[in-house]
Structure formats: C-alpha cells, structure tokens
C-alpha cells in the first residue's frame, strides 16, 4: 500500500509490483540540522552578506515578507530565530512589520494569521496582508514589467524575505526574490511578468527562466537586504535553510533542492498517479496544478494522469474557474498566447498537459464541473486507477508521485 495525501488525510493506494516501475520519492541527502536549528545555522553562516544582526541598527523600520497560507512555508518555525536576531541588534518590536505575500491570492482571517506565525508573534508584532491597491510605482524592468510594490515594503529601512524552496513550473524555482515579485506586487505587474511562461526556457528546475530573471530585475528598484529560504522534506520538516544574499543564498538552496527532489528516470509510464502532497498544497485547484505539471514529465504521450487533490476551497481564482469551465483546451492555449490573463495561465498550463495525456481527477469538486473542464471525475483514487487500467491495459506501467508538488521527474 502506498499512502498519498488528500487534504489533511492520507489515503492508501495499491499497485501491483509487476506494474509499478517507481514511487517517486525524494532522494537521500545528508541533513545536518532540522527545524529551527537549521534556520539558526543558516543565520550563523549567511551567504554573500554579513549576518542579519550586523545589517540592521536600532531605530530602523524592518519589514519581513513571508508566504501566505497557500504555501507550506513554516513561518512559525522560521520567524522566531529571525526576530531574536533583530531584537538583539536593538530593533524594537514596534518597528517590525510582518507582511504576508498574497500575490494574487485571497486575504487571511485573524485565525489563519495566528496559525501561520503563532499566537505570541501575532499578538506582539504587526502582521498584515499585502494590498495591491496600496502600492508605489518604482520603475520598469528590462522586459517591461512594472515594479509596483506594496507601500509598507517600499517605506522600510530593511527588507527581509522568507520563503520555502520548491520547483515552479515556469519560474524554475520558488523562493528568493519571488517574495517581492509576485508576492507584494499587483495583478497587472504579475501578468506582465507571467506572460513569459510561454517561453520555451520557462520550465521547472531552470534557474535561468526568463520569468525568474525578470523577477530578479525588480530588485534593482526594490532591494532585498536579506533572505531566509528553507527546503522541506515530505513531512514538511525544515531540513535545509539558506540565508543571506537574495541570489547567492537562493542558488545554494536550489542546488540542495535538486539533490533532494529532482528524480532521474529512464522511461515514461503509461499511468502516473500524482498527489499534490495534501494540505495546504491541495487547498485549491490553482495551487494543486503544480503537481499535475510535474507529473506530465513522467507520463507517456497518450497515457493517463490520475490527479489526486482535494481542493476543499474549489478553484482558488475566479478567472481560473471561468477559463477552466467555459473554454476548450485549444481555446485556452490560443488565448494565453494572444492576451495573457492571470488565472488563465494556470488553465492554459492544464490544457497543455491535456495535449499529452488524459487527466482523471479525484477531488471534492462537483463531477459535472469537472467534466466541463475536459477532465474525468472520480470519487476515489482506486476508481480512477481502475479506469485508467482499463484504458491503458492490465500490464500498463505505473509511476506514483506522493509528493507531486515537490518532486520533479527528469531524464538522463
């Protein structure tokens, strides 16, 4: 039995040994520290900058940007060591603001904020969501992206960015400068940056993606003074942290991520069963799409992907929902090339997967709605897999990806 995540639960999934050619789990890597200890070690050994406590001085206003609730970023673990360094350097609690980088996502409830950072920090430190209606225009990147940044970030003396490192299907990797763009930017600017997703160099695991290069060009206008990025294992435990310069430290983290999560394969399978990894990665379809995009590399043309993602909050984006339920896959691909729409880009990415393989979708979304998306709905992973077997054959080959949002299949 292979356990895969579905929301906050694990469901058991069984595949005959004669058909299973791989369970794509993380590679074995050396881990010297975990959790807060890993963060402390990174803070003690920053890459490309002095220590955080040597960068700040008493009286300065410090903004700490961290991820929103749709990301598995353990702010509750990473924030306390960072705050302690600031306190020791003389920074008052009243001079610190924690900003949740919403990008294009919804705002948080007070209960969610407390859950993300802990009751003590929520009570003592100003914690706010970014607001695309309250931004400052700082300039334009070489690619023509407006650098419109949340005002409290632009007004800070010191900007610290926190994030978790994982693969991003067209920016190459998460983390680093993505906390600023798209994290605390505007829908318009995000659209301008994301329009480059159709570039053939914009793919998961490529640090030279034009999307990431444009993201990092934004930092000419809105500097980042220090980052702390973490890599999580399949239990969402911090097993690596990097700190320091927003590019140098980020690249070191990406190198570790590759050693952990890039899975080299010899062949593609007839069927790929992929889970986004459970909550919060399958909170909505918008976020769970990343797992589907990783799975497309492992399935043969004409095969079947069994996509397991609870999506308890539905689509996660009104534009994404509209595109998925009112347009054909061909229309999505054509329209995204002609007129980039944020939200529509995720739908177009799913349409590109549909060009290669059928998608059997196991979720809490209404079956008729799933059918309207050109996907095939199923109530359970077992039922979806049985149907895929009927289509592909009882001797068809299978990969299972329990952590599809993290693991990236690649070929030698």
């Amino acid at each position: 039995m292979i356990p895969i995540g579905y929301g906050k639960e694990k469901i058991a999934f069984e595949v005959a040994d004669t058909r299973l050619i791989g369970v794509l789990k993380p590679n074995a890597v050396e881990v010297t520290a975990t959790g807060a200890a890993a963060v402390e070690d990174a803070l003690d050994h920053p890459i490309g900058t002095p220590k955080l406590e040597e960068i700040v001085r008493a009286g300065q206003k410090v903004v700490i940007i961290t991820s929103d609730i749709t990301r598995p970023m353990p702010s509750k673990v990473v924030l306390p060591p960072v705050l302690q360094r600031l306190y020791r350097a003389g920074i008052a609690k009243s001079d610190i603001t924690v900003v949740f980088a919403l990008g294009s996502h919804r705002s948080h409830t007070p209960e969610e904020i407390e859950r993300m950072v802990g009751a003590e920090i929520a009570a003592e430190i100003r914690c706010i969501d970014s607001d695309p209606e309250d931004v400052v225009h700082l300039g334009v990147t070489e690619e023509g992206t407006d650098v419109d940044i949340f005002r409290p970030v632009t007004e800070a003396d010191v900007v610290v960015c926190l994030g978790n490192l994982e693969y991003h299907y067209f920016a190459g990797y998460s983390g680093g400068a993505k906390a600023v763009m798209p994290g605390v930017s505007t829908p318009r600017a995000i659209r301008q940056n994301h329009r480059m997703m159709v570039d053939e160099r914009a793919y998961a695991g490529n640090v030279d993606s034009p999307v990431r290069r444009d993201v990092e060009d934004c930092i000419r206008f809105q500097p980042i003074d220090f980052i702390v990025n973490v890599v999580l294992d399949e239990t969402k435990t911090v097993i690596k942290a990097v700190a320091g310069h927003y590019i140098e430290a980020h690249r070191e983290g990406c190198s570790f991520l590759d050693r952990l999560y890039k899975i080299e394969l010899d062949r593609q399978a007839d069927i790929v069963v992929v889970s986004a990894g459970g909550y919060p990665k399958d909170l909505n379809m918008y976020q769970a799409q990343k797992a589907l995009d990783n799975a497309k590399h492992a399935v043969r043309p004409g095969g079947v992907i069994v996509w397991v993602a609870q999506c308890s909050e539905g689509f996660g984006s009104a534009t994404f929902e509209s595109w998925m339920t009112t347009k054909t896959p061909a229309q999505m691909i054509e329209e995204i090339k002609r007129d980039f729409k944020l939200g529509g880009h995720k739908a177009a990415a799913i349409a590109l997967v549909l060009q290669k393989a059928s998608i059997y979708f196991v979720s809490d979304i209404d079956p008729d709605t799933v059918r309207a998306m050109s996907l095939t709905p199923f109530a359970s992973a077992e039922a979806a897999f049985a149907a895929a077997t009927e289509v592909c054959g009882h001797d068809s080959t299978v990969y299972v990806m329990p952590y599809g949002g993290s693991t990236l299949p690649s070929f030698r």
Side-chain angles (χ1 to χ4, degrees):
M1 301 295 282
I2 303 169
I4 55 176
Y6 186 80
K8 295 182 179 180
E9 299 178 353
K10 291 286 186 181
I11 57 177
F13 184 79
E14 188 170 10
V15 183
D17 291 342
T18 54
R19 299 175 58 196
L20 183 66
I21 56 173
V23 178
L24 307 190
K25 292 183 177 181
N27 302 306
V29 293
E30 181 182 4
V31 176
T32 57
T34 62
V39 178
E40 292 283 11
D41 183 65
L43 291 168
D44 282 337
H45 303 93
I47 300 167
T49 69
K51 293 181 180 179
L52 177 60
E53 57 268 38
E54 296 171 358
I55 291 175
V56 300
R57 64 180 184 274
Q60 288 184 314
K61 303 291 185 182
V62 178
V63 160
I64 303 173
I65 304 174
T66 192
S67 302
D68 72 353
I69 198 168
T70 67
R71 315 296 188 190
M73 169 64 191
S75 298
K76 191 183 296 186
V77 174
V78 179
L79 269 172
V82 170
L83 290 172
Q84 289 303 317
R85 304 271 172 151
L86 295 176
Y87 299 156
R88 291 202 295 268
I91 302 297
K93 293 179 181 178
S94 58
D95 285 334
I96 300 172
T97 300
V98 172
V99 174
F100 298 105
L102 295 185
S104 58
H105 305 156
R106 66 168 177 81
S107 59
H108 298 108
T109 66
E111 293 76 19
E112 287 173 331
I113 289 175
E114 183 173 315
R115 188 159 75 243
M116 286 187 291
V117 303
E120 183 177 344
I121 291 175
E124 295 182 347
I125 302 295
R126 183 183 182 221
C127 296
I128 60 174
D129 287 332
S130 61
D131 181 357
E133 300 299 321
D134 182 21
V135 298
V136 177
H137 178 70
L138 301 176
V140 180
T141 69
E142 290 183 359
E143 292 290 348
T145 298
D146 288 305
V147 185
D148 297 328
I149 305 300
F150 185 40
R151 185 178 302 277
V153 175
T154 69
E155 294 175 347
D157 298 307
V158 176
V159 175
V160 179
C161 292
L162 313 184
N164 71 294
L165 272 167
E166 58 188 1
Y167 293 112
H168 189 280
Y169 70 106
F170 59 80
Y173 298 82
S174 67
K178 280 184 94 275
V180 169
M181 164 61 75
V184 293
S185 188
T186 64
R188 181 184 66 171
I190 296 169
R191 286 195 301 271
Q192 292 167 339
N193 170 261
H194 285 14
R195 73 188 187 279
M196 289 177 283
M197 69 172 285
V198 297
D199 191 296
E200 63 182 9
R201 298 163 296 171
Y203 58 87
N206 181 24
V207 78
D208 290 321
S209 162
V211 176
R212 172 156 291 278
R213 288 203 305 269
D214 189 53
V215 164
E216 292 171 349
D217 192 26
C218 291
I219 310 309
R220 288 192 292 121
F221 304 92
Q222 174 53 65
I224 296 173
D225 297 285
F226 199 84
I227 72 165
V228 182
N229 281 179
V230 297
V231 177
L232 311 181
D233 68 7
E234 61 272 22
T235 68
K236 300 181 177 63
T237 299
V238 175
I239 60 170
K240 176 71 174 181
V242 292
H245 191 270
Y246 74 96
I247 291 180
E248 294 178 40
H250 178 260
R251 299 301 193 264
E252 178 62 30
C254 292
S255 177
F256 180 87
L257 188 78
D258 284 347
R259 296 196 298 274
L260 176 64
Y261 283 129
K262 188 170 280 188
I263 315 297
E264 290 194 345
L265 305 178
D266 293 315
R267 56 173 169 156
Q268 294 176 321
D270 300 306
I271 301 170
V272 175
V273 180
V274 61
S275 164
Y279 179 90
K281 291 188 176 185
D282 69 350
L283 191 62
N284 56 54
M285 194 175 177
Y286 194 90
Q287 291 302 317
Q289 175 271 339
K290 294 176 184 178
L292 176 67
D293 209 77
N294 286 343
K296 76 180 181 186
H297 301 292
V299 70
R300 67 161 173 82
V304 176
I305 298 174
V306 176
W307 183 21
V308 181
Q310 186 178 42
C311 304
S312 61
E313 290 193 357
F315 286 86
S317 160
T319 301
F320 174 59
E321 179 177 1
S322 174
W323 276 52
M324 286 299 300
T325 56
T326 64
K327 301 178 189 294
T328 67
Q331 288 171 335
M332 295 178 204
I333 294 168
E334 178 58 33
E335 188 162 338
I336 204 69
K337 292 178 180 178
R338 185 177 65 252
D339 183 21
F340 185 93
K341 289 286 193 303
L342 192 65
H345 74 295
K346 289 267 189 176
I350 293 174
L352 289 169
V353 178
L354 283 167
Q355 286 188 331
K356 182 180 184 182
S358 299
I359 301 172
Y360 292 2
F361 193 30
V362 181
S363 74
D364 285 0
I365 296 176
D366 175 72
D368 288 337
T369 303
V370 174
R371 292 187 190 95
M373 297 187 281
S374 300
L375 312 183
T376 306
F378 286 91
S380 69
E382 291 84 356
F385 181 66
T389 297
E390 290 299 317
V391 169
C392 296
H394 289 270
D395 59 350
S396 52
T397 55
V398 183
Y399 284 125
V400 179
M401 298 177 63
Y403 313 104
S406 303
T407 48
L408 178 65
S410 65
F411 290 86
R412 298 184 181 90

